[in-house]
Amino acid sequence: MECDKTVKVLILGGTTEGRALAAALDRVRDIDTVTSLAGRVAQPMLPVGQTRIGGFGGPAALAVWLRDNAIDVVVDATHPFASTIGAHAAHATEATGVALLVLTRPPWAEGEGDRWTSVPSLPDAAAAITPGSRVFLTTGRQGVHHFASVDHSWFLVRAIDPPTDRVPPHMTLQLSRGPFDIDHESKVLADNRIDLLITKNSGGDMTRAKLDAARAASISVLMIARPEAPTSAPIVYEVDTAVDWLANRLRVC
């Protein structure tokens, strides 16, 4: 069967999954992709194909952009905690009749030997820190300000770029980009005498090693619970599944 049109796909990216999807679709005939990056990282890892950097200006502006660029489908492959752009994508696609697919990582699940406490938000995590703790904070630079008033504990903060808002008074900053293996993470925990890990339930394998290292060292974890997806759109957890969905949904050959 011959395709009667080129399908235009907008990938809301900035994640490993978004880059992998762009690379996979680059090999599929009759699909044109553009990946949108929020621009929150100074030197982002760019995907294959066309990219745009920066926000859209809200759901109404995104809807206009979808119409103006004749987009057929949006794939939300943003970070599982990027709930604002997810909600904007849901509203904009509903307003325009554009198809929406969510590509995300399955959340982590607590296993035998883990010492997790689930909390609903970053402020709740800050309030749950026991005085005198040595904290490994891996929630990204944008959330560090929630811990700025915690003056009774020490923090090792790991981020790709430096925080631009307030920070804890007792803090060491480690600028680094994953993935990290368990040997690396075990050394970080031991060298800094960490007794509490704080992280978001982002899921996936790229940053899971810190949880494995914490389990091996019997270190407690404050796990920020993942927000519910702000849409009723189909959700897939694998890039191959997303490619198949696009092929079947849009009859791409």
Side-chain angles (χ1 to χ4, degrees), residues 83-228:
S83 54
T84 298
I85 184 59
H88 289 180
H91 287 300
T93 52
E94 182 176 359
T96 58
V98 171
L100 175 64
L101 177 69
V102 177
L103 170 62
T104 191
R105 314 160 193 169
W108 293 315
E110 187 174 7
E112 184 177 355
D114 287 322
R115 300 175 59 193
W116 294 8
T117 299
S118 181
V119 291
S121 68
L122 292 169
D124 289 301
I129 297 172
T130 301
S133 297
R134 294 182 64 84
V135 182
F136 187 22
L137 182 62
T138 65
T139 56
R141 67 166 181 161
Q142 291 185 306
V144 175
H145 66 278
H146 291 292
F147 301 86
S149 62
V150 181
D151 60 1
H152 55 62
S153 297
W154 177 86
F155 291 81
L156 174 64
V157 174
R158 184 165 71 195
I160 296 174
D161 293 320
T164 56
D165 208 332
R166 297 178 303 137
V167 299
H170 312 296
M171 181 195 84
T172 295
L173 178 63
Q174 182 184 89
L175 297 180
S176 187
R177 189 195 298 265
F180 308 101
D181 61 29
I182 189 170
D183 290 338
H184 176 276
E185 300 294 64
S186 295
K187 188 174 189 304
V188 169
L189 297 178
D191 289 353
N192 293 279
R193 295 181 285 117
I194 299 297
D195 52 36
L196 177 65
L197 168 65
I198 300 179
T199 192
K200 296 176 178 179
N201 195 341
S202 303
D205 296 330
M206 189 171 179
T207 59
R208 182 180 176 90
K210 62 191 172 188
L211 298 173
D212 297 332
R215 180 196 304 125
S218 296
I219 289 173
S220 298
V221 176
L222 284 178
M223 182 67 72
I224 314 298
R226 181 182 294 195
E228 292 187 12

Side-chain angles (χ1 to χ4, degrees), residues 7-39:
V7 174
K8 299 191 69 173
V9 178
L10 171 65
I11 301 172
L12 301 175
T15 59
T16 302
E17 294 76 17
R19 290 189 295 274
L21 179 61
L25 293 180
D26 189 59
R27 299 188 292 270
V28 179
R29 183 161 61 93
D30 295 321
I31 286 185
D32 280 349
T33 64
V34 55
T35 299
S36 178
L37 307 177

Side-chain angles (χ1 to χ4, degrees), residues 239-252:
V239 170
D240 289 347
T241 308
V243 173
D244 289 343
W245 185 92
L246 287 165
N248 292 330
R249 176 73 170 76
L250 301 169
R251 296 185 178 179
V252 175

